[in-house]
């Protein structure tokens, strides 16, 4: 059965839209987009459209590819102190001459809509209230929407990034799953992935997960977005894995829309916190 991220996101966003309409002012997101990366432009467009449909305000700061580090730092500091701004998002990747880790650390964690700031990552691993990274949060929202049990299940994650693998593992642990994290150095990978009740592929290699790596009846979450022959494909060999999986996310229209949905929910949460202060 397909885990339809687009329809799920639309349903959850409709409920959020009703909440936003009841606010005294619009939550505002500032996006910093550096350079001309086509994929980044596409992602930003999706975020802009979703937020606009929800009655939120989005402003995109288009910066030249050759911009210097200090100029980006100055913009972030300005947005940090602007009380009319509730969320700040640095669209990744950014040009290599810029220090992305430092720029993310500069964003006020109370406006960190992506959940990448060290403070928010720390709050997650301390099991305290904070903003969760959007892709892991979107995955959990999708599983909950389909009422897929998590407690007691064996979750295997392929990929250990700070954006997906590591935070997602903690979120599953907090829901009482048993979690195994695998990566490029893992030996006998198929023997591990075949144990998974829930298998998450976030390794960035097209069609990496094949049928022989998946247990019959497993739930398969494909985080990968790879362009092959001008088509988008995931990290899972969907055509051959789909018949044996109980649930599987497609690419596109799977995890991607849920990430943007989670961002919108994060912006709403940041707005509520800041309005209370």
């Amino acid at each position: 059965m397909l885990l339809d991220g687009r329809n799920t996101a639309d349903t959850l966003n409709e409920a959020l839209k009703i909440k936003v309409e009841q606010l005294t002012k619009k939550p505002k997101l500032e996006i910093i987009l550096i350079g001309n990366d086509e994929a980044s432009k596409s992602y930003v467009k999706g975020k802009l459209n979703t937020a606009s449909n929800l009655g939120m305000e989005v402003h995109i700061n288009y910066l030249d590819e050759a911009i210097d580090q200090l100029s980006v730092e100055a913009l972030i500091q300005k947005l940090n102190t602007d009380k009319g701004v509730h969320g700040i998002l640095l669209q990744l990747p950014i040009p290599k001459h810029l220090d992305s880790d430092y720029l993310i650390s500069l964003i006020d964690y109370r406006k960190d809509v992506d959940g990448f700031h060290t403070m928010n990552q720390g709050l997650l691993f301390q099991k305290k209230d904070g903003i969760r990274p959007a892709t892991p949060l979107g995955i959990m929202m999708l599983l909950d929407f389909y009422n897929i049990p998590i407690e007691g299940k064996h979750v295997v994650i392929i990929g250990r990034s700070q954006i997906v693998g590591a935070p997602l593992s903690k979120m599953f642990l907090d829901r009482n799953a048993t979690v195994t994290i695998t990566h490029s150095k893992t030996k006998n990978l198929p023997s591990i992935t075949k144990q998974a009740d829930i298998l998450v592929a976030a390794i960035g290699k097209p069609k990496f997960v094949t049928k022989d790596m998946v247990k019959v009846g497993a739930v398969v979450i494909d985080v990968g977005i790879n362009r092959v022959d001008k088509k988008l494909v995931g990290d899972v060999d969907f055509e051959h894995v789909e018949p044996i999986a109980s649930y599987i996310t497609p690419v596109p229209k799977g995890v991607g829309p849920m990430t943007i949905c989670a961002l919108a929910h994060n912006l709403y949460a940041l707005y509520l916190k800041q309005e209370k202060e």
Side-chain angles (χ1 to χ4, degrees):
M1 180 176 176
L2 279 186
L3 293 172
D4 191 325
R6 175 165 289 179
N7 284 340
T8 302
D10 287 345
T11 301
L12 295 175
N13 284 339
E14 278 302 311
L16 180 60
K17 184 177 181 178
I18 294 170
K19 295 179 181 179
V20 172
E21 288 171 349
Q22 297 170 352
L23 301 176
T24 54
K25 60 182 179 181
K26 292 182 177 181
K28 184 176 182 181
L29 172 64
E30 289 276 350
I31 297 177
I32 301 172
L33 178 60
I34 306 173
N36 297 302
D37 183 82
E38 290 302 322
S40 291
K41 286 182 180 178
S42 176
Y43 296 149
V44 166
K45 183 180 179 182
K47 293 165 186 174
L48 176 63
N49 290 341
T50 296
S52 298
N53 291 337
L54 292 173
M56 296 173 165
E57 188 177 345
V58 179
H59 177 251
I60 303 173
N61 299 271
Y62 293 99
L63 304 182
D64 188 85
E65 180 111 16
I67 195 166
D68 62 278
Q69 178 86 10
L70 290 177
S71 297
V72 185
E73 291 176 13
L75 174 59
I76 291 173
Q77 297 286 23
K78 176 186 173 186
L79 298 176
N80 280 342
T81 57
D82 186 340
K83 292 187 176 180
V85 175
H86 303 100
I88 303 170
L89 187 155
L90 176 64
Q91 180 63 45
L92 300 175
I94 62 174
K96 287 185 167 53
H97 69 278
L98 301 172
D99 186 341
S100 60
D101 288 341
Y102 182 71
L103 292 173
I104 290 170
S105 74
L106 264 189
I107 296 172
D108 186 334
Y109 79 94
R110 292 164 295 188
K111 297 187 178 187
D112 169 34
V113 74
D114 259 331
F116 292 164
H117 193 283
T118 303
M119 180 66 79
N120 279 318
Q121 296 263 337
L123 291 170
L124 166 60
F125 279 84
Q126 294 267 332
K127 206 176 179 180
K128 294 179 179 177
D129 184 42
I131 295 299
R132 304 313 191 212
T135 296
L137 177 59
I139 290 168
M140 303 305 281
M141 293 166 71
L142 182 61
L143 292 171
D144 287 342
F145 186 84
Y146 279 86
N147 295 312
I148 293 173
I150 294 172
E151 183 170 332
K153 299 299 182 181
H154 185 189
V155 177
V156 176
I157 301 172
I158 310 174
R160 52 181 169 178
S161 74
Q162 292 301 314
I163 294 174
V164 180
L168 183 59
S169 68
K170 184 61 168 68
M171 293 168 77
F172 273 121
L173 283 171
D174 289 345
R175 295 282 295 273
N176 297 318
T178 298
V179 181
T180 301
I181 302 177
T182 67
H183 45 78
S184 59
K185 306 298 182 186
T186 300
K187 295 180 179 179
N188 302 316
L189 182 61
S191 67
I192 299 172
T193 58
K194 284 203 80 162
Q195 300 175 37
D197 301 309
I198 300 173
L199 178 61
V200 181
I203 197 167
K205 294 182 179 179
K207 299 185 179 182
F208 178 82
V209 175
T210 53
K211 180 180 178 180
D212 62 313
M213 297 172 67
V214 181
K215 180 172 72 174
V216 174
V219 176
V220 180
I221 306 295
D222 192 347
V223 184
I225 301 177
N226 310 283
R227 194 169 292 277
V228 177
D229 297 329
K230 298 183 179 180
K231 287 180 64 177
L232 288 179
V233 299
D235 290 353
V236 176
D237 182 4
F238 181 89
E239 181 183 354
H240 295 103
V241 172
E242 189 265 344
I244 66 167
S246 59
Y247 292 90
I248 187 170
T249 59
V251 175
K253 303 179 183 179
V255 172
M258 291 305 303
T259 297
I260 297 176
C261 175
L263 276 172
H265 281 74
N266 278 349
L267 180 61
Y268 177 73
L270 289 171
Y271 171 93
L272 293 181
K273 288 181 180 180
Q274 288 168 48
E275 290 303 304
K276 287 179 181 178
E277 292 176 354

